[in-house]
Amino acid sequence: MSTMRMPQLKYYNFGEDVTAFSTMRQGGYSKGNFGEFNINRYCGDSEEAIRKNREALCRLLAISDDHLLMPHQVHLTEMTIVDETFLSKTADERQQALEGVDALMTDIKEVCIGVSTADCIPVLLHDPVHHAGCAIHAGWRGTVQRIVEKAVDKMQTVYGTQPADILAQIGPGISLDSFEVGDEVYDVFAHEAFDMEQISKRYEKWHIDLPLCNRQQLLSMGLSTNHISCADICTVKQHDTYFSARRLGIHSGRIFSAIILH
C-alpha cells in the first residue's frame, strides 16, 4: 500500500472557528507541471491524480468530498451563494451552479469554499459577527471589474455584514515586479479610475500591483486597515512552492485558496 501523501497548506489566522488556507505544490499525486498538489479539473491534469488529491485534502480537513467546492472561473464577477438550497442539489446541478463563477460565499459550517489561482489574486473574507465566509478569484480582469467590492456589497445584502467587521486575507499571487503588462491593460485600469500613481510603475514596460489594487478596494468598502492581511508571496518568484502560469505555462497546476467555517 502506498503511503498517503499529505497536502502542504499555508494557513491563515481568522480565529479558532475558521480554517483558511492556500495549497502549496508539495504533497500530492500530480506529475510534471501539475506536480504535486492540484485539484483543478480545467487545466489538463489527470482525473486520477485530482481524485487522489481531493481525497487527501478532504481527509486532512475532515470534510466529505461533496463539501469541497470550487467554481469554474471565467474572470468575470458572478458569485454563487452556497446555502441549504445549493447543497440539496444533485452533483450535476451543483456543477451547473458553479459554472462561470468567480466567487463563492456561505454561512454554512463545515463546507469548504475556495477559488483556484496561479498568479491571479485569491482573496478570502470572514465576517465574524454573522459567521459568514467568502472566497474570491481576482485576476486582472476581475480586479478591474472590482469583484472584491462587489463581494463585500453582496455579503452586506445576503448576511447583513458590516464591512468594518470583515477580516480579509490576500493570498499568494503575482507581484508588481513580476506583473508586466501592455499599454492596453494599463489603459483599462486608468479608464476605470484606479489611482495609477499608486498601483503602477514603469520599468521598460508598465507593471501593475494587483494585491494593492484589491487591498484598496477593501479599504474603499470600509474594511479597517488592520483587518487586511497580505501573504506577500509572489507566485512567479516562488513557482517552486506555488503554481505560476507565467512560469509554468497554462497547462500547469493551480493553488486552491479556501475558507471553512466551524
Side-chain angles (χ1 to χ4, degrees), residues 142-161:
T143 299
V144 94
Q145 294 172 80
R146 303 184 188 273
I147 187 170
V148 163
E149 291 181 13
K150 289 172 181 169
V152 171
D153 192 50
K154 186 95 164 165
M155 286 181 79
Q156 289 178 269
T157 306
V158 178
Y159 307 115
T161 296

Side-chain angles (χ1 to χ4, degrees), residues 63-209:
I63 58 169
S64 57
D65 185 77
D66 63 346
H67 280 193
L68 177 58
L69 303 173
M70 182 180 80
H72 185 195
Q73 302 154 191
V74 291
H75 297 275
L76 294 174
T77 59
E78 282 300 310
M79 302 174 198
T80 287
I81 298 160
V82 177
D83 53 14
E84 294 295 358
T85 307
F86 176 92
L87 292 173
S88 67
K89 293 177 187 288
T90 66
D92 284 349
E93 288 170 337
R94 283 176 184 215
Q95 200 49 55
Q96 198 50 49
L98 294 173
E99 192 60 44
V101 167
D102 284 87
L104 298 178
M105 57 187 68
T106 195
D107 61 352
I108 298 184
K109 294 175 183 173
E110 310 311 325
V111 172
C112 180
I113 55 167
V115 290
S116 187
T117 59
D119 292 331
C120 291
I121 312 300
V123 182
L124 301 175
L125 307 178
H126 177 231
D127 167 5
V129 177
H130 300 89
H131 204 33
C134 182
I136 305 157
H137 162 244
W140 77 260
R141 289 180 179 84
T143 299
V144 94
Q145 294 172 80
R146 303 184 188 273
I147 187 170
V148 163
E149 291 181 13
K150 289 172 181 169
V152 171
D153 192 50
K154 186 95 164 165
M155 286 181 79
Q156 289 178 269
T157 306
V158 178
Y159 307 115
T161 296
Q162 295 302 308
D165 296 328
I166 295 177
L167 303 174
Q169 176 68 54
I170 296 168
I174 197 165
S175 65
L176 170 84
D177 288 348
S178 301
F179 192 41
E180 181 181 285
V181 300
D183 289 350
E184 71 289 350
V185 173
Y186 176 92
D187 292 344
V188 173
F189 277 86
H191 183 259
E192 292 302 326
F194 281 82
D195 183 342
M196 301 316 288
E197 193 102 329
Q198 274 203 317
I199 67 156
S200 66
K201 204 169 178 180
R202 183 111 199 178
Y203 299 122
E204 278 94 48
K205 289 191 171 178
W206 284 109
H207 286 238
I208 286 179
D209 191 332

